[in-house]
């Protein structure tokens, strides 16, 4: 029995069954006396006894409750302020605790892993029931792991409330573990933490100037390493801002024919209802008014942040409107794949032959395996009729009243074009290559696309050319930097100037293996923990869970 029901410092006298199929262990504390907690004088004079009933770990799927007979002793020291005191099973129970230390540790582990609400639901069938509030108290009282000295750190920000409150996370890149979580991302907070934890030699970070200043103040001898993914992100954002301003000019360029034409598919949506068309026109009018207001204030010299607050527009929208030479129209959305696509070539041939009977066309492709309804064929044919339908609700005059083929080829949005510019040439499809060839007909666009591709190649290859010696490993980056600063495109020149200001960290990124990828992964785990707690995740509790989670 002692082996099966081991109670440190206590002896089990008998095992009984209580209510609700729980197991009750009746026992007593071993020993003949105890020491007074005030004066530390031993005593064996028993004054009385009482029973403590704490919960313990379950056994064979049954909840376990202890009935411990605890004795009170008289203190024989006349100078002691205490007359009596109770013996304490320190290894088994804490003072005034309603659960054993091992049960509290098990419940705390479940709470740290799953959260309070989910943990309480999980512990009930495991015969260790408790409330979510109790789990939160156990997590808060759990001792944090002792900090160990870190040589290589990764630092990044995370959102407690996106757009409003941000914190910082510090990750030991050598042991793959979160070192600490800070309540904000300001320079004083981060630099103070670095001064309290000396010995850091390498710090990987994003392109934030706030973190750069914090590292320079808190750990001036540490080597700063810019994250390569953020370098590619900044390059894509730069070309996207330039494309936003030049998009109206590029949209007027003629399309370039593709050698390998993709399978036939719809390139335009079906006609919308009149109410949807009217709502879209009203929305466009509001955007034009906002664009004109932003441009007027920007050309007058007003800062972008003040424009954003005055007009109640997002900072990204204000920045996009300020950089655009003319109103940036929304790019036409290309419909996704449809079950009608495999039959478009046949439908087009029949339409050219003069067939404009939608039901007849539907019956023909239905015999070929089309499983859709005739409504889809009606909507496809509606935009291609040369004469109005005899049974349609409206009669249009003769001639092609609307044809998607009469529109000029739509150009991808600036964001989509920016993604194409950052992709490797070998990874482009024929359609994507033709899109880039179309915008490269513009001389300035050709320079920007070429510089963007070279920059991405330098970052992906870490600036090391084949056959280069270690002392010349940054030559490709230096050559690109000099060319970008003299390219004549203001957006690229500004980007190159920013890279030069952060040159030491960027050169370290191209020559060292460290990056901020681990910090991004830990932030993903942090977001999961935050969302598990259903709004109870204030900073103190969230920090405990992050540091206690292995």
């Amino acid at each position: 029995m002692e082996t099966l029901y081991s109670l440190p410092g206590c002896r089990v006298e008998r095992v009984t069954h209580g209510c609700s199929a729980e197991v009750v262990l009746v026992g007593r504390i071993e020993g003949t006396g105890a020491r007074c907690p005030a004066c530390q004088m031993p005593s064996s004079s028993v004054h009385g006894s009482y029973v403590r009933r704490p919960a313990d770990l379950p056994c064979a799927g049954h909840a376990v409750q202890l009935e411990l007979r605890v004795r009170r002793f008289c203190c024989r020291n006349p100078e002691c302020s205490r007359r009596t005191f109770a013996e304490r099973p320190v290894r088994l129970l804490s003072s005034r605790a309603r659960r054993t230390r091992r049960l509290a540790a098990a419940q705390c582990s479940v709470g740290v892993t799953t959260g309070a609400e989910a943990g309480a639901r999980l512990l009930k069938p495991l015969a260790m029931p408790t409330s979510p509030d109790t789990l939160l108290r156990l997590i808060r009282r759990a001792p944090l792991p002792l900090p160990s000295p870190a040589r290589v750190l990764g630092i990044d920000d995370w959102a407690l409330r996106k757009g409003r409150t941000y914190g910082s996370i510090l990750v030991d890149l050598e042991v793959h573990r979160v070192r600490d979580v800070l309540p904000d991302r300001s320079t004083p907070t981060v630099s103070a933490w670095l001064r309290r934890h000396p010995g850091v030699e390498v710090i990987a970070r994003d392109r934030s100037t706030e973190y750069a200043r914090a590292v320079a103040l808190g750990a001036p001898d540490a080597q700063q390493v810019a994250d390569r993914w953020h370098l590619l992100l900044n390059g894509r954002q730069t070309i996207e801002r330039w494309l936003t301003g030049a998009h109206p000019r590029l949209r007027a360029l003629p399309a370039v024919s593709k050698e390998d034409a993709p399978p036939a598919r719809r390139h335009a949506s079906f006609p919308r209802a009149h109410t949807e068309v009217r709502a879209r026109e009203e929305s466009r009018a509001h955007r034009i008014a906002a664009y004109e207001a932003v441009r007027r204030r920007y050309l007058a010299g007003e800062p972008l942040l003040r424009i954003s607050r005055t007009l109640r527009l997002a900072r990204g929208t204000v920045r996009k409107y300020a950089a655009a030479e003319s109103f940036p129209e929304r790019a036409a959305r290309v419909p996704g794949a449809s079950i009608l696509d495999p039959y478009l070539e046949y439908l087009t041939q029949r339409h050219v032959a003069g067939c404009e009977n939608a039901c007849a066309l539907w019956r023909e492709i239905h015999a070929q395996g089309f499983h859709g309804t005739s409504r889809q064929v009606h909507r496809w044919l509606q935009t291609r009729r040369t004469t109005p339908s005899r049974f349609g609700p409206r009669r249009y005059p003769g001639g092609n009243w609307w044809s998607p083929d009469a529109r000029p080829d739509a150009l991808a949005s600036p964001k989509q074009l920016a993604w194409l510019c950052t992709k490797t040439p070998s990874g482009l499809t024929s359609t994507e290559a033709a899109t880039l060839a179309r915008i490269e007909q513009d001389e300035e666009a050709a320079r920007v696309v070429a510089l963007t591709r070279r920059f991405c190649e330098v970052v992906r290859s870490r600036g090391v050319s084949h056959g280069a010696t270690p002392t010349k490993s940054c030559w490709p980056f230096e050559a690109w930097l000099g060319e970008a600063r003299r390219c004549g495109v203001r957006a690229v020149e500004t980007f190159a100037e920013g890279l030069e200001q952060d040159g030491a960290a960027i050169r370290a990124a191209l020559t060292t293996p460290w990056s901020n990828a681990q910090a991004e992964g830990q932030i993903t785990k942090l977001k999961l923990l935050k969302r598990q707690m259903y709004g109870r995740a204030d900073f103190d509790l969230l920090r405990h869970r992050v540091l206690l989670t292995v």
Side-chain angles (χ1 to χ4, degrees):
M1 183 181 296
E2 291 293 338
T3 304
L4 182 60
Y5 300 108
S6 175
L7 300 179
C10 302
R11 178 180 296 276
V12 179
E13 296 180 342
R14 66 180 185 277
V15 179
T16 62
H17 293 281
C19 59
S20 303
E22 67 179 7
V23 178
V24 179
L25 303 182
V26 181
R28 60 179 178 83
I29 300 177
E30 295 179 333
T32 58
R35 288 182 177 273
C36 175
C39 64
Q40 298 298 317
M41 178 175 286
S43 175
S44 58
S45 300
V46 179
H47 179 270
S49 64
Y50 63 95
V51 177
R52 292 184 65 177
R53 294 181 173 83
D56 198 8
L57 287 174
C59 179
H62 297 281
V64 175
Q65 185 180 26
L66 306 182
E67 284 191 3
L68 291 180
R69 177 66 61 175
V70 180
R71 296 168 294 182
R72 295 193 68 86
F73 293 92
C74 298
C75 182
R76 295 306 184 183
N77 185 0
E79 298 180 358
C80 182
S81 59
R82 303 190 63 161
R83 297 297 182 89
T84 62
F85 61 92
E87 57 184 346
R88 298 177 180 177
V90 179
R91 289 189 297 165
L92 183 65
L93 283 168
S94 301
S95 179
R96 299 182 179 87
R98 299 297 301 274
R99 57 182 53 79
T100 59
R101 294 182 184 273
R102 55 194 182 188
L103 176 59
Q107 292 175 338
C108 181
S109 298
V110 172
V112 167
T113 304
T114 63
E117 294 287 344
R121 291 195 295 268
L122 176 63
L123 287 171
K124 188 174 181 179
L126 296 179
M128 295 184 289
T130 188
S131 67
D133 290 339
T134 299
L135 285 180
L136 292 180
R137 288 194 296 270
L138 292 175
I139 295 173
R140 291 181 186 276
R141 287 202 299 259
L144 296 177
L146 296 177
S148 57
R151 190 182 68 89
V152 184
L153 275 181
I155 183 171
D156 206 347
D157 58 351
W158 55 275
L160 187 61
R161 293 187 65 189
K162 190 171 183 179
R164 298 189 180 184
T165 307
Y166 287 85
S168 299
I169 186 170
L170 297 104
V171 182
D172 192 329
L173 301 182
E174 291 185 311
V175 299
H176 304 265
R177 190 179 181 90
V178 177
R179 182 68 188 279
D180 206 347
V181 181
L182 305 181
D184 57 57
R185 55 181 178 181
S186 63
T187 297
T189 301
V190 178
S191 59
W193 189 94
L194 292 174
R195 282 193 291 267
R196 291 194 305 269
H197 301 81
V200 180
E201 299 178 7
V202 179
I203 297 180
R205 57 169 177 81
D206 56 16
R207 298 288 315 289
S208 170
T209 57
E210 196 79 9
Y211 285 147
R213 287 194 298 267
V215 174
L217 293 175
D221 297 332
Q223 182 186 30
Q224 300 188 37
V225 180
D227 185 58
R228 290 181 290 276
W229 181 86
H230 283 89
L231 289 175
L232 296 175
L233 173 66
N234 296 149
R236 184 185 63 79
Q237 291 172 338
T238 297
I239 189 174
E240 182 180 343
R241 283 195 293 269
W242 180 85
L243 287 168
T244 300
H247 199 261
R249 184 176 79 245
L250 301 178
R251 194 163 51 236
L253 295 173
V256 177
S257 60
K258 302 180 285 292
E259 296 180 359
D260 300 326
R265 57 174 298 179
R266 294 184 298 119
H267 295 286
S269 300
F270 291 124
R272 301 297 181 182
H274 292 283
T275 54
E276 296 181 9
V277 174
R278 192 180 306 113
R280 183 171 55 190
E281 292 174 352
E282 293 176 357
S283 175
R284 182 176 181 275
H286 288 307
R287 295 198 306 272
I288 291 177
Y291 165 76
E292 293 175 349
V294 170
R295 288 289 295 180
R296 184 171 57 253
R297 292 172 177 268
Y298 175 72
L299 295 177
E302 191 171 343
L304 297 182
L305 185 58
R306 186 185 303 171
I307 298 175
S308 173
R309 291 172 178 172
T310 304
L311 300 180
R312 302 178 69 85
L313 295 173
R315 283 176 289 180
T317 303
V318 173
R319 189 182 301 111
K320 179 178 68 174
Y321 285 169
E325 301 171 0
S326 59
F327 174 66
E329 296 282 358
R330 288 182 175 176
R333 297 187 63 180
V334 179
S338 170
I339 60 174
L340 193 64
D341 290 346
Y343 308 94
L344 289 180
E345 185 176 353
Y346 176 81
L347 290 174
T348 303
Q349 293 175 358
R350 295 286 291 123
H351 178 258
V352 172
C355 180
E356 294 190 356
N357 188 323
C359 289
L361 292 175
W362 173 75
R363 284 191 292 268
E364 293 175 11
I365 64 174
H366 182 71
Q368 299 177 15
F370 178 66
H371 299 291
T373 64
S374 61
R375 179 61 181 165
Q376 293 171 287
V377 181
H378 275 282
R379 297 180 69 182
W380 175 85
L381 186 61
Q382 180 181 356
T383 61
R384 291 163 174 80
R385 290 187 181 276
T386 58
T387 59
S389 174
R390 288 168 41 188
F391 306 101
R394 298 187 180 186
R395 293 181 179 273
Y396 297 96
N400 193 358
W401 61 277
W402 188 87
S403 174
D405 300 328
R407 300 184 298 108
D409 290 341
L411 184 64
S413 66
K415 179 178 292 187
Q416 293 170 333
L417 291 175
W419 277 109
L420 296 182
C421 294
T422 56
K423 290 179 66 174
T424 57
S426 59
L428 294 173
T429 64
S430 59
T431 304
E432 294 171 344
T435 301
L436 285 183
R438 176 182 175 182
I439 66 173
E440 286 177 344
Q441 295 176 97
D442 183 88
E443 182 182 354
E444 186 176 355
R447 292 202 306 271
V448 173
V449 172
L451 286 171
T452 304
R453 282 178 169 174
R454 284 184 54 196
F455 176 74
C456 294
E457 181 182 355
V458 167
V459 175
R460 291 190 179 109
S461 62
R462 299 192 184 181
V464 180
S465 58
H466 297 289
T469 59
T471 58
K472 300 180 181 180
S473 60
C474 285
W475 278 15
F477 173 70
E478 302 294 345
W480 179 91
L481 196 62
E483 186 176 347
R485 297 184 66 175
R486 299 186 302 269
C487 68
V489 182
R490 182 57 186 162
V492 179
E493 292 176 351
T494 303
F495 177 58
E497 292 173 2
L499 294 180
E500 180 61 31
Q501 293 176 3
D502 203 16
I506 294 174
R507 292 177 180 87
L510 301 178
T511 55
T512 62
W514 305 112
S515 71
N516 233 21
Q518 287 189 46
E520 298 290 349
Q522 295 291 349
I523 289 174
T524 302
K525 183 191 295 185
L526 184 149
K527 291 178 181 178
L528 174 64
L529 298 178
K530 181 183 71 172
R531 290 162 183 164
Q532 280 180 339
M533 289 189 280
Y534 302 163
R536 300 291 296 272
D538 59 352
F539 174 75
D540 178 61
L541 179 61
L542 184 61
R543 178 174 179 268
H544 270 70
R545 282 199 66 187
V546 171
L547 296 182
L548 291 173
T549 302
V550 179

